[in-house]
Amino acid sequence: MTTTETGTAADQAAIAALTQKVIAAWAYHDADSFAGVFTEDGTMILPGVYKKGRDEIRSFLVESFEGNYKGTQVTGRPLEIRFFTPDSGVLITQGGVLGPGETEVADSQSIRASWTVVKRDGAWHLASYQNTPAKQQLPKPGTAA
């Protein structure tokens, strides 16, 4: 993992720990804890999904944990942390969704993500999260996918 020198070691560790909070919340299918990692007005963008605010994120996850993501886990690791100011930055990660019984992320579930992070009241939160498939490339313009 690479970092810039603007943030303190404690800030870098706290930002990297956001990934573990998300992994733990997902492990327990705890939509409240997952949504709690975000700022109140945070955004979550996934392929085909845009949710704004903790309530929308929580609702999406409640439904997902009962549906497509039932029995799944997520994994991920920080690749880079960069600070814009002492209270804002970006965390880049690599990971993905593990289906029931899987120990490695399938190429079709492998993602890279950008986490825009902000420090509020002494704690780091997600202002925005977006992921994209890590292995799948965009189709050539003008061709069918």
Side-chain angles (χ1 to χ4, degrees):
M1 175 177 61
T2 60
T3 60
T4 62
E5 298 304 317
T6 342
T8 68
D11 284 331
Q12 293 172 10
I15 292 168
L18 291 173
T19 61
Q20 296 309 305
K21 289 179 181 181
V22 165
I23 289 169
W26 196 287
Y28 292 101
H29 286 20
D30 183 348
D32 289 326
S33 292
F34 190 103
V37 174
F38 286 82
T39 59
E40 189 63 40
D41 61 347
T43 57
M44 183 174 73
I45 304 168
L46 310 173
V49 175
Y50 174 81
K51 300 297 174 188
K52 181 156 180 71
R54 285 184 186 150
D55 291 339
E56 282 189 23
I57 293 167
R58 181 183 303 108
S59 294
F60 171 77
L61 289 168
V62 165
E63 183 178 314
S64 296
F65 289 151
E66 293 172 359
N68 289 340
Y69 292 115
K70 186 174 186 172
T72 63
Q73 301 296 313
V74 293
T75 186
R77 65 182 177 85
L79 297 175
E80 178 180 3
I81 298 172
R82 284 183 286 157
F83 291 88
F84 305 128
T85 70
D87 295 333
S88 67
V90 65
L91 167 65
I92 307 297
T93 61
Q94 181 172 313
V97 178
L98 297 166
E102 292 181 334
T103 57
E104 291 189 33
V105 177
D107 284 353
S108 63
Q109 295 298 317
S110 179
I111 58 108
R112 290 199 183 91
S114 297
W115 311 47
T116 304
V117 294
V118 294
K119 193 175 192 180
R120 300 238 171 109
D121 299 321
W124 287 95
H125 297 277
L126 279 175
S128 183
Y129 171 88
Q130 180 171 5
N131 77 38
T132 188
K135 305 284 180 168
Q136 181 180 340
Q137 294 186 359
L138 291 173
K140 180 179 176 184
T143 63

